Amino acid sequence: MSVAAEDPLGAADTFVLVRETIRALSADRGLRASFSPKVVADGVGNGGHVHLSIWRGGVNLHDGGDGPCGMTDAAESFAAGILHRLPALLAVGAPSVASYLRLVPGHWAAPFQACGHENRETALRLITGSRGEEGRAANLEVKVLDQSANPYLCLAALIFAGLAGLARPSRLPALVDVDPAWLSEDERARRGIPELPGTLAEATDAFEADAVLGAAFGPELAATVIDLRRAEVARFADSSPQEIVAALRWVF
């Protein structure tokens, strides 16, 4: 389900409103809605994709430039900042042990640190929109996040990462036009397509090592994020996927 674009705070508020509306309507009909990353251990699960774009003076910077998919230098640097920090961002945007039962090949979760034009199997999808609508519709889609995340912290982390990219202008790697899971490990290495963290512990380590995100969040909040993630890792250290799913199915 997609909702209209808003400013970051408005988008987070709408996310909460939509989810609670779905819960209420489901309950009214004798049903129960779950937004857990994994509802059934061998099922596909629930994502929480984030679309975002940066504008200046009412102009969408993801169109009209010379960069990939018509991006301006600023939009490309913003996108590169997010792509570069995806391993650390997962600790905020995919913060449950259940998240990593979903972030596997073949589950529409794009668990590789790659970007592509309209490629739904890359972690960062570059969207140009329909012909004639590029100036309005061009945006980024971050596909590896899910609804166990706090939407306010998640959007803040994405903005921090994008601003870090803007502060040190950089370029995106070569765009990927296939599902990275179809490539051999050697081919992925040759093309510079690493796997994203496969566990919450790995994502938490990446977040702790990222000085930029740590400084942006502030030492107290960053330490709280790390402590909470490690507590969840410890809680489920000896649990099977089925036990994790059962324990978290109705938490989110």
Side-chain angles (χ1 to χ4, degrees):
M1 180 175 183
S2 300
V3 294
E6 298 181 73
D7 64 275
L9 182 58
D13 289 344
T14 296
F15 170 86
V16 175
L17 177 62
V18 168
R19 190 161 63 175
E20 292 310 304
T21 300
I22 291 171
R23 289 191 200 281
L25 289 172
S26 299
D28 189 54
R29 289 156 177 76
L31 304 170
R32 194 174 184 186
S34 171
F35 298 92
S36 178
K38 274 285 187 171
V39 180
V40 179
D42 58 355
V44 172
N46 290 312
H49 302 174
V50 175
H51 291 257
L52 70 166
S53 55
I54 58 172
W55 295 58
R56 180 185 293 140
V59 176
N60 185 354
L61 299 183
H62 296 260
D63 178 57
D66 297 323
C69 303
M71 302 168 80
T72 64
D73 289 346
E76 183 178 5
S77 291
F78 188 86
I82 291 174
L83 183 64
H84 174 68
R85 288 195 151 77
L86 272 183
L89 287 169
L90 287 178
V92 180
S96 169
V97 291
S99 301
Y100 300 84
L101 300 178
R102 171 182 171 265
L103 285 175
V104 294
H107 283 62
W108 300 339
F112 295 93
Q113 193 174 359
C115 61
H117 177 216
E118 298 289 359
N119 187 345
R120 295 177 184 272
E121 298 300 335
T122 53
L124 188 65
R125 176 184 170 216
L126 308 183
I127 298 171
T128 49
S130 302
R131 185 178 297 276
E133 294 291 317
E134 295 90 344
R136 179 188 64 82
N139 69 93
L140 309 175
E141 181 185 16
V142 188
K143 301 181 61 66
V144 290
L145 313 177
D146 64 57
Q147 296 178 69
S148 64
N150 177 311
Y152 301 93
L153 295 183
C154 183
L155 288 175
L158 289 169
I159 292 170
F160 292 149
L163 290 177
L166 278 172
R168 299 186 64 181
S170 54
R171 295 288 176 257
L172 288 167
L175 303 188
V176 177
D177 59 0
V178 298
D179 183 347
W182 296 351
L183 304 174
S184 69
E185 187 173 340
D186 288 344
E187 178 65 10
R188 287 197 299 269
R190 187 187 70 78
R191 296 175 64 168
I193 307 174
E195 282 192 74
L196 288 165
T199 66
L200 180 57
E202 292 174 4
T204 303
D205 288 344
F207 179 83
E208 184 176 34
D210 194 301
V212 168
L213 290 181
F217 272 90
E220 294 85 2
L221 181 53
T224 300
V225 168
I226 292 166
D227 290 345
L228 287 173
R229 303 301 176 259
R230 288 189 172 148
E232 177 152 329
V233 170
R235 176 189 173 191
F236 291 103
D238 299 319
S239 299
S240 67
Q242 290 76 16
E243 290 168 334
I244 292 170
V245 168
L248 297 175
R249 180 177 292 125
W250 305 115
V251 171
F252 307 110

